[in-house]
Coordinates of all heavy atoms in Angstrom, one line a residue:
M1 N 59.3 65.7 71.6 CA 60.3 65.1 72.5 C 61.7 65.3 72.1 O 62.6 65.6 72.9 CB 59.9 63.6 72.6 CG 58.7 63.3 73.5 SD 58.3 61.6 73.5 CE 59.8 60.9 74.3
G2 N 61.9 65.2 70.8 CA 63.3 65.4 70.3 C 63.7 66.9 70.5 O 64.9 67.1 70.9
I3 N 62.8 67.8 70.3 CA 63.1 69.2 70.5 C 63.4 69.5 71.9 O 64.4 70.2 72.3 CB 62.0 70.1 70.0 CG1 61.8 69.9 68.4 CG2 62.3 71.6 70.2 CD1 63.0 70.1 67.6
I4 N 62.6 69.0 72.8 CA 62.8 69.2 74.2 C 64.2 68.6 74.7 O 64.9 69.2 75.5 CB 61.7 68.5 75.1 CG1 60.4 69.3 74.8 CG2 62.0 68.5 76.5 CD1 59.2 68.6 75.4
G5 N 64.5 67.4 74.1 CA 65.8 66.8 74.4 C 67.0 67.7 74.0 O 67.9 67.8 74.7
L6 N 66.8 68.3 72.8 CA 67.9 69.2 72.3 C 68.0 70.4 73.2 O 69.1 70.8 73.5 CB 67.6 69.6 70.9 CG 67.6 68.5 69.8 CD1 67.1 69.0 68.5 CD2 69.0 68.0 69.7
N7 N 66.9 71.0 73.6 CA 66.9 72.1 74.5 C 67.5 71.8 75.9 O 68.3 72.5 76.4 CB 65.5 72.7 74.7 CG 65.1 73.7 73.6 OD1 65.6 74.8 73.6 ND2 64.3 73.2 72.7
A8 N 67.1 70.6 76.4 CA 67.6 70.2 77.7 C 69.1 70.0 77.7 O 69.8 70.4 78.6 CB 66.9 68.9 78.2
N9 N 69.6 69.4 76.6 CA 71.0 69.2 76.5 C 71.8 70.5 76.4 O 72.9 70.7 77.0 CB 71.3 68.4 75.2 CG 72.8 67.9 75.2 OD1 73.2 67.2 76.2 ND2 73.5 68.1 74.1
R10 N 71.2 71.5 75.8 CA 71.9 72.8 75.7 C 71.9 73.5 77.1 O 72.9 74.1 77.5 CB 71.1 73.8 74.8 CG 71.2 73.4 73.3 CD 72.6 73.6 72.8 NE 73.0 75.0 72.8 CZ 74.2 75.4 72.4 NH1 75.1 74.5 72.0 NH2 74.5 76.7 72.4
L11 N 70.9 73.3 77.9 CA 70.9 73.8 79.3 C 72.0 73.1 80.1 O 72.7 73.7 80.9 CB 69.5 73.5 79.9 CG 68.4 74.4 79.5 CD1 67.1 74.0 80.0 CD2 68.7 75.9 79.8
L12 N 72.1 71.8 79.9 CA 73.2 71.0 80.6 C 74.6 71.5 80.2 O 75.5 71.3 80.9 CB 73.0 69.5 80.3 CG 71.8 68.9 80.9 CD1 71.7 67.4 80.5 CD2 71.8 69.0 82.5
D13 N 74.7 72.0 78.9 CA 76.0 72.5 78.5 C 76.3 73.9 79.0 O 77.4 74.4 78.7 CB 76.0 72.6 76.9 CG 76.1 71.2 76.3 OD1 76.5 70.2 77.0 OD2 75.8 71.0 75.1
G14 N 75.4 74.5 79.8 CA 75.8 75.7 80.5 C 75.0 76.9 80.0 O 75.4 78.0 80.5
V15 N 74.1 76.8 79.1 CA 73.3 78.0 78.7 C 72.4 78.4 79.8 O 71.7 77.6 80.4 CB 72.4 77.7 77.4 CG1 71.6 78.9 77.1 CG2 73.3 77.2 76.3
P16 N 72.5 79.7 80.3 CA 71.8 80.2 81.4 C 70.3 80.0 81.2 O 69.7 80.3 80.2 CB 72.2 81.6 81.6 CG 73.5 81.8 80.8 CD 73.4 80.8 79.7
L17 N 69.6 79.6 82.3 CA 68.2 79.4 82.3 C 67.4 80.7 82.0 O 66.5 80.8 81.2 CB 67.6 78.8 83.6 CG 66.1 78.7 83.7 CD1 65.6 77.7 82.7 CD2 65.8 78.2 85.1
E18 N 68.0 81.8 82.5 CA 67.3 83.1 82.3 C 67.4 83.5 80.8 O 66.5 84.1 80.2 CB 68.1 84.2 83.1 CG 67.9 84.1 84.6 CD 68.8 83.0 85.2 OE1 69.7 82.5 84.4 OE2 68.7 82.7 86.4
Q19 N 68.5 83.2 80.1 CA 68.7 83.5 78.7 C 67.7 82.6 77.9 O 67.1 83.1 76.9 CB 70.1 83.2 78.3 CG 70.4 83.6 76.9 CD 71.9 83.3 76.5 OE1 72.6 82.6 77.3 NE2 72.3 83.9 75.4
V20 N 67.5 81.4 78.3 CA 66.5 80.5 77.6 C 65.1 81.1 77.7 O 64.3 81.2 76.8 CB 66.6 79.1 78.1 CG1 65.6 78.2 77.4 CG2 68.0 78.5 77.8
M21 N 64.7 81.4 79.0 CA 63.4 81.8 79.3 C 63.1 83.2 78.6 O 61.9 83.4 78.2 CB 63.2 82.0 80.8 CG 63.2 80.7 81.5 SD 62.0 79.5 80.9 CE 60.4 80.4 81.2
A22 N 64.1 84.0 78.4 CA 63.8 85.3 77.7 C 63.4 85.0 76.2 O 62.8 85.9 75.6 CB 65.1 86.1 77.7
G23 N 63.8 83.8 75.7 CA 63.3 83.5 74.4 C 62.1 82.6 74.4 O 61.3 82.6 73.4
V24 N 61.9 81.8 75.4 CA 60.8 80.9 75.4 C 59.4 81.6 75.4 O 58.6 81.2 74.6 CB 60.9 80.0 76.7 CG1 59.6 79.2 76.9 CG2 62.1 79.0 76.5
V25 N 59.2 82.6 76.2 CA 57.9 83.2 76.3 C 57.5 83.9 75.0 O 56.4 83.6 74.5 CB 57.9 84.2 77.5 CG1 56.6 85.0 77.5 CG2 58.1 83.5 78.8
P26 N 58.3 84.7 74.4 CA 57.9 85.3 73.1 C 57.7 84.3 72.0 O 56.8 84.4 71.2 CB 59.0 86.3 72.8 CG 60.2 85.9 73.6 CD 59.6 85.3 74.8
L27 N 58.6 83.2 72.1 CA 58.4 82.2 71.0 C 57.2 81.4 71.2 O 56.6 80.9 70.2 CB 59.7 81.4 71.0 CG 60.9 82.0 70.4 CD1 62.2 81.2 70.6 CD2 60.7 82.3 68.9
C28 N 56.8 81.2 72.4 CA 55.5 80.5 72.6 C 54.3 81.3 72.1 O 53.4 80.7 71.5 CB 55.3 80.1 74.1 SG 56.4 78.8 74.7
I29 N 54.4 82.6 72.2 CA 53.4 83.5 71.7 C 53.4 83.4 70.1 O 52.4 83.2 69.5 CB 53.6 84.9 72.1 CG1 53.4 85.0 73.6 CG2 52.6 85.8 71.4 CD1 53.7 86.4 74.2
A30 N 54.6 83.4 69.6 CA 54.8 83.4 68.1 C 54.3 82.0 67.6 O 53.8 82.0 66.5 CB 56.3 83.6 67.8
A31 N 54.5 81.0 68.4 CA 54.1 79.6 68.0 C 52.6 79.6 67.7 O 52.1 78.8 66.8 CB 54.4 78.6 69.0
F32 N 51.8 80.3 68.4 CA 50.3 80.4 68.1 C 50.0 81.4 67.0 O 49.0 81.2 66.2 CB 49.6 80.7 69.4 CG 49.4 79.6 70.3 CD1 50.4 79.3 71.3 CD2 48.3 78.7 70.2 CE1 50.2 78.2 72.2 CE2 48.2 77.6 71.1 CZ 49.1 77.4 72.1
C33 N 50.7 82.5 67.0 CA 50.3 83.6 66.1 C 50.5 83.1 64.6 O 49.6 83.4 63.8 CB 51.3 84.8 66.3 SG 50.9 85.7 67.8
Y34 N 51.6 82.4 64.3 CA 51.8 82.0 62.9 C 50.7 81.1 62.4 O 50.2 81.3 61.3 CB 53.2 81.4 62.8 CG 53.7 81.3 61.4 CD1 53.8 82.4 60.6 CD2 54.0 80.0 60.8 CE1 54.3 82.3 59.3 CE2 54.5 79.9 59.5 CZ 54.6 81.1 58.8 OH 55.1 81.0 57.5
P35 N 50.4 80.0 63.0 CA 49.3 79.1 62.5 C 48.0 79.8 62.5 O 47.1 79.5 61.6 CB 49.3 77.9 63.4 CG 50.0 78.3 64.6 CD 51.0 79.3 64.2

C-alpha cells in the first residue's frame, strides 16, 4: 500500500502514464523471476 501510494503520487506529479506502464510490465515479470 505504501509503494502504491508513492507511485500514485508520482503520477499526480505529472509522470506520463505511458512512461510508467513501459516499466510496470517488465518489472512485474522480473518480480516473479527473481524469487
Side-chain angles (χ1 to χ4, degrees):
M1 284 177 61
I3 299 303
I4 291 173
L6 292 173
N7 276 286
N9 192 54
R10 291 293 293 177
L11 288 172
L12 293 175
D13 285 343
V15 177
L17 178 61
E18 295 78 8
Q19 187 177 11
V20 176
M21 291 305 299
V24 167
V25 174
L27 286 170
C28 286
I29 297 173
F32 281 90
C33 289
Y34 194 59

